[in-house]
């Protein structure tokens, strides 16, 4: 256990959190990801936007190997992702993910959702895992819902539980796959606020989102993807005020109208 | 009502509308009668027809089975028409006389306490597992799936070393055999069915092929055929001394048969689990086994609970087919007893069959009610 913590610490100090090199992916004949090259620095906060079908989510899902690829390499926290199950599990322990549809486990209470992976993957004693879960539920401001089932919660609350569940594994990197797209408008803010608070903690974040206000406020870099390619990467100010590529300009005009 | 302002195109509510009780035509006994029994002319006609049918059918049945029925007696004379009872009804005296045969069949009389102990131990384990708020249900599972089978085997078959005389299975019968076959069938078919269902969804082609072949073969063949094959064909291939006991062969046949059906039921439940559940589990670092055991199967089994119980009910009734291969289950004992010339009377057979029907109905209806109560419990907890 101590050995493992030391390893994680070493990796956390490494400069590069995620490195993607010459990545290509096909679904059958369809070329979804084309020549993706990206280095994400430790503690960096990245927002990926672009039209749907552009490969944003697929790229994000490659980073914890929910999707495989045909060409190229991905190195996460110094671990190269291959077919080797040990490496995949090691990366997944270090990378938390939040989904568009929350994907909470409906048969478990909020607290059990949060303690499941710490107990069964990290081998944490139940009591410690519950204390840890309560700490994170307090951070996402729903400790009072701990013993309810997810179906009893609003969408915004469910998504905050999903964030707490991912944080309970103490990840170095968090992936957010359109975390507010399935929410009613009045619940978007509570989830974004939670994510902003998380961003100030210095955790590495990759967020697929169309929340441009969030991108402006939090992102170190914004990535625009279209047709499976990275079209433009820039700091938020430059990205929004002076988009370079015509495709980026068109996209921004359409969503900021 | 009171708050519409003067401008017709805009409106601002001034006084909130409180909650009102529903109209009386929809509430209370009258409301219920009206909406359920007398809502339309067709409904009224149906209600009247049903009342007439009940009035026509129920009193004669009550008279035959309860009022005119013969409850005591030592032989057929009691159940025949006589001066004191010119029109005798059901012959319950016959059932009372034969009841211990129905339960134990040929199990030696001085050893029957062992069967009673088995029934007690089984009910205790079943109660422990099935009562949702029982303490330490994990221990209950260990008891039911590990301790109980060993105790039962030692008790029922005997273990001469500790003074329990051996009782060959050819002497077992009646309710004992029905319960043993049904319980073993259920306890084996659920895990085996789950394993088959998971194999059928496996990414490894050989595993998938084996599972599909087994399931489709068993489902394409009647249970009677499986039982015949188990009891007649198996001994042809296996040398006599390795050939398992007749009852064990039937147990294996029933369990494998039920497993194939259970596999299809569980597969339906697995298909109902959204992909996001698998992805969330994998993203948290859970491997295949834990993902299935902790996330997917608990949900899949909950979805399929009604179908699982349905399969169990079917299995319970199918146990009567072991009679075909010469094992005396409960129905077999009734069948044998009703041929007893000492009790030959016009209504002996009817009474025996009705008694058997009641037994199966109570068992199956009990299972069905239990499943419903668990479903209601789960949906109250909001786990849907």
């Amino acid at each position: 256990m101590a050995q493992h913590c030391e390893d994680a610490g070493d990796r956390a100090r490494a400069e590069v959190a995620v490195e993607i090199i010459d990545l290509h992916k096909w679904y059958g004949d369809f070329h979804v990801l084309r020549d993706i090259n990206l280095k994400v620095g430790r503690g960096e906060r990245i927002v990926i936007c672009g039209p749907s079908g552009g490969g944003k989510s697929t790229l994000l899902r490659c980073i914890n190997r929910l999707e495989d690829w045909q060409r190229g390499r991905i190195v996460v926290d110094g671990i190269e992702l291959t077919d080797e199950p040990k490496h995949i599990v090691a990366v997944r322990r270090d990378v938390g993910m939040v989904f568009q549809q929350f994907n909470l486990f409906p048969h478990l209470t909020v607290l059990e959702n949060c303690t499941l992976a710490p107990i069964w993957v990290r081998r944490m004693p139940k009591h410690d895992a519950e204390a840890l879960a309560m700490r994170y539920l307090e951070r996402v401001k729903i400790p009072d819902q701990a013993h309810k089932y997810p179906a009893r919660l609003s969408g915004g609350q469910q998504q905050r539980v999903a964030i707490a569940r991912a944080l309970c594994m103490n990840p170095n990197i968090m992936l957010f796959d359109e975390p507010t797209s399935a929410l009613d408008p009045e619940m978007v803010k509570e989830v974004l606020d939670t994510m902003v608070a998380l961003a100030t903690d210095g955790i590495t974040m990759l967020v697929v989102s169309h929340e441009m206000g969030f991108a402006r406020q939090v992102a170190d870099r914004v990535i625009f993807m279209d047709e499976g390619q990275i079209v433009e990467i820039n700091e938020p100010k430059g990205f929004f005020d002076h988009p370079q590529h015509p495709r980026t300009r068109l996209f921004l005009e359409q969503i900021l109208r | 009502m009171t708050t519409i302002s003067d401008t017709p195109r805009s409106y601002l509510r001034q006084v909130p509308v409180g909650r009102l009780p529903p109209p009386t035509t929809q509430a209370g006994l009258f409301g219920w009668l009206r909406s359920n029994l007398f809502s339309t002319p067709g409904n009224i006609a149906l209600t009247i027809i049903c009342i007439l049918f009940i009035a026509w059918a129920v009193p004669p049945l009550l008279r035959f089975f309860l009022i005119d029925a013969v409850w005591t007696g030592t032989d057929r004379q009691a159940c025949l028409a006589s001066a004191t009872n010119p029109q005798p009804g059901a012959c319950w005296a016959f059932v009372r006389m034969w009841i211990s045969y129905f339960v134990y069949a040929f199990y030696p009389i001085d050893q029957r306490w062992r069967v009673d102990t088995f029934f007690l131990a089984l009910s205790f384990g079943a109660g422990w597992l099935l009562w949702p708020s029982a303490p330490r249900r994990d221990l209950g599972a260990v008891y039911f799936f590990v301790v109980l089978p060993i105790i039962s085997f030692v008790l029922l078959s005997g273990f001469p070393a500790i003074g329990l005389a051996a009782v060959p299975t050819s002497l077992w019968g009646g309710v004992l055999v029905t319960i043993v076959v049904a319980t073993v069938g259920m306890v084996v078919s659920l895990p085996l069915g789950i394993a088959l269902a998971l194999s059928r969804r496996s990414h490894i082609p050989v595993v998938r092929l084996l599972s599909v072949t087994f399931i489709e073969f068993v489902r394409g063949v009647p249970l009677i055929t499986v039982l015949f094959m188990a009891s007649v064909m198996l001994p042809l291939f296996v040398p006599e001394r390795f050939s398992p006991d007749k009852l064990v062969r039937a147990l294996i046949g029933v369990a494998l048969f039920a497993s194939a059906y259970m596999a299809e039921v569980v597969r339906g439940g697995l298909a109902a689990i959204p992909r996001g559940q698998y992805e969330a589990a994998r993203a948290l670092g859970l491997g295949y086994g834990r993902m299935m055991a902790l996330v997917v199967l608990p949900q899949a089994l909950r979805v399929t609970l009604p179908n699982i119980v349905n399969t169990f009910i079917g299995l319970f009734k199918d146990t009567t087919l072991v009679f075909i291969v010469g094992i005396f289950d409960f129905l077999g004992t009734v069948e044998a007893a009703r041929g007893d010339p000492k009790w030959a009377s016009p209504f002996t057979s009817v009474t025996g069959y009705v008694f058997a029907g009641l037994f199966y109905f109570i068992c199956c209806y009990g299972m069905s009610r239990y499943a419903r109560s668990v479903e209601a419990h789960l949906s109250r907890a909001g786990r849907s």
Side-chain angles (χ1 to χ4, degrees), chain A residues 126-231:
Chain A
K126 189 175 173 210
H127 186 262
D128 297 357
E130 284 179 351
L132 177 79
M134 285 313 293
R135 214 159 61 232
Y136 282 113
L137 287 174
E138 266 157 39
R139 269 194 57 187
V140 301
K141 301 199 174 64
I142 31 177
D144 46 325
Q145 315 281 354
H147 297 287
K148 289 190 183 165
Y149 286 93
R152 291 270 187 270
L153 271 52
S154 73
Q157 291 173 325
Q158 290 193 40
Q159 193 60 299
R160 285 186 283 150
V161 171
I163 294 173
R165 177 175 73 176
L167 290 176
C168 281
M169 288 294 281
N170 288 323
N172 290 325
I173 301 168
M174 283 287 283
L175 309 176
F176 291 86
D177 188 3
E178 306 209 23
T180 57
S181 301
L183 293 176
D184 290 339
E186 58 216 285
M187 291 167 186
V188 169
K189 187 171 176 297
E190 61 184 65
V191 171
L192 288 182
D193 286 348
T194 309
M195 290 167 64
V196 170
L198 201 59
T200 55
D201 285 2
I203 196 168
T204 310
M205 288 169 79
L206 283 98
V207 183
V208 170
S209 178
H210 293 136
E211 295 293 336
M212 292 300 128
F214 174 78
R216 249 181 213 279
Q217 186 187 348
V218 168
D220 295 309
R221 286 190 290 167
V222 182
I223 296 179
F224 177 71
M225 279 186 78
D226 188 24
E227 296 185 337
Q229 305 151 56
I230 292 180
V231 176

Side-chain angles (χ1 to χ4, degrees), chain A residues 61 64-66 89 92 95 97 99 103-108 116-117 120-121 123 149 151-152 165-166 169, chain B residues 275-287 290 294-296 298-299 302 379-384:
Chain A
R61 292 154 58 85
N64 65 354
R65 193 80 183 184
L66 284 184
V89 169
R92 285 178 182 162
V95 178
M97 186 159 193
F99 299 85
N103 294 348
L104 292 179
F105 304 132
H107 61 301
L108 301 177
L116 185 78
W120 292 95
V121 180
R123 298 260 160 225
Y149 286 93
R152 291 270 187 270
R165 177 175 73 176
M169 288 294 281
Chain B
R275 232 173 60 138
Q277 294 289 311
Y278 293 85
E279 290 179 347
R282 278 159 58 204
L284 285 168
L286 294 171
R290 290 197 188 119
L294 299 170
V295 174
V296 177
Q299 296 184 58
R302 222 158 261 182
S379 69
R380 261 201 312 282
R383 302 184 193 183
S384 48

Side-chain angles (χ1 to χ4, degrees), chain B residues 181-257:
Chain B
V181 174
T183 312
V184 170
M186 291 177 197
V187 169
V188 173
S189 71
L190 189 56
L192 202 58
I194 291 171
L196 282 168
L198 292 177
S199 317
R200 192 166 187 169
R201 292 165 66 92
S202 164
H203 294 295
I204 307 164
V206 179
V207 174
R208 203 166 52 227
L209 183 74
L210 284 175
S211 164
V212 171
T213 310
F214 175 81
I215 293 171
E216 294 304 331
F217 175 73
V218 172
R219 289 208 309 158
V221 166
L223 176 56
I224 295 188
T225 317
V226 175
L227 287 174
F228 268 133
M229 279 180 9
S231 69
V232 180
M233 282 173 60
L234 197 64
L236 296 182
F237 299 117
V238 184
E240 178 100 36
R241 62 207 160 93
F242 295 125
S243 174
D245 179 271
K246 186 164 79 173
L247 181 65
V248 173
R249 287 186 307 227
L251 281 177
I252 294 172
V254 168
L256 291 183
F257 188 80

Side-chain angles (χ1 to χ4, degrees), chain B residues 99-121:
Chain B
I99 187 80
S100 67
Y101 174 70
F102 294 159
V103 176
Y104 309 100
F106 307 107
Y107 210 89
I109 291 174
D110 57 338
Q111 301 294 325
R112 284 181 181 174
W113 62 270
R114 285 155 59 176
V115 178
D116 295 335
T117 316
F118 160 73
F119 284 148
L120 268 179

